[in-house]
Amino acid sequence: MPNVIVTGVRRTPLADLDQLAEYGVATVHEAMGRTGLVGTSVHPIQDGARVAGSAVTVLCWPGDNLMIHAAVEQCRPGDLLVVTTVSPSLDGSFGELFATALQQRGVRGLVTTGGVRDVVDLRAMGFPAWAGAQNAQGTVKATPGSVNVPIVVGGVVIRPGDAVVADDDGVLCVAREDVTTALAASASRVAKEADSRSAYQNGELSLDRNKLRGVLSDLGVSYVAATGEDAEPDSAPADPTSTGEA
């Protein structure tokens, strides 16, 4: 791939990003059929942050953050910077000065397979980051790479302009053309979960609500009453046909 900086990339609409952030990673991931989730190679450096942004992608050389400098110029309000390297590297290529520049441009956060440093400062300024490591190891600015090209993070292809959702549960990519579908599916899942939550608050069991007793039976799981010293005093025999409902 040639070393390029692609300009004028189409973004995911801000209103859609805000709604994705409200739903959160777990809900959107499940609603999308359990796709798009970046693996456990990146972790939040803070607690409680929940963001979604249009991906500005950066492909760097290991130990070199030149292309992050180039990427800052391409960032707009509502973006989220996503950085990886051509081969694995956990050097601390991102810190407080980058975050200051990006925050001024309205960038919502960072996802990087590499390392971040100045972590105390990043937390204090409220700049969310998900990283492969917290690492003070410095980098150089000497090797070309690319900005706004498709990259792979945790086995997931992230293209410039795709929606990236990140919170304490992880990082998720929704292809820009799939955002409308993902929002509708997430809304449906939230409504279903609200019904289930109400049922559980009223004492219903998930075994019954999700019709799992038959699954247990089909898998050969049986109910056996405790005996002897292990049995509760005056306990009734187990009833495998019980629905668990009054």
Side-chain angles (χ1 to χ4, degrees), residues 3-42:
N3 302 311
V4 296
I5 299 172
V6 180
T7 63
V9 171
R10 180 177 295 180
R11 266 76 168 173
T12 300
L14 291 176
D16 291 346
L17 294 171
D18 292 342
Q19 191 64 59
L20 287 170
E22 183 175 336
Y23 288 135
V25 169
T27 293
V28 178
H29 171 58
E30 293 286 352
M32 291 171 59
R34 299 180 181 176
T35 61
L37 186 66
V38 170
T40 57
S41 60
V42 295

Side-chain angles (χ1 to χ4, degrees), residues 205-218:
L205 294 175
S206 59
L207 275 174
D208 300 313
R209 183 167 184 83
N210 296 310
K211 298 179 173 57
L212 297 176
R213 293 188 185 275
V215 175
L216 291 175
S217 178
D218 291 343

Side-chain angles (χ1 to χ4, degrees), residues 45-46 63 65 68-69 90-100 110 112 114-125 127-141:
I45 68 164
Q46 66 288 306
N65 68 359
I68 300 179
H69 288 273
L90 295 177
D91 292 341
S93 60
F94 186 97
E96 176 267 332
L97 289 178
F98 271 141
T100 298
L110 166 80
T112 177
V116 295
R117 58 185 188 177
D118 304 330
V119 172
V120 170
D121 298 316
L122 295 179
R123 290 171 179 160
M125 65 192 293
F127 187 85
W130 289 257
Q134 299 174 24
N135 188 0
Q137 176 63 51
T139 56
V140 300
K141 304 164 182 60

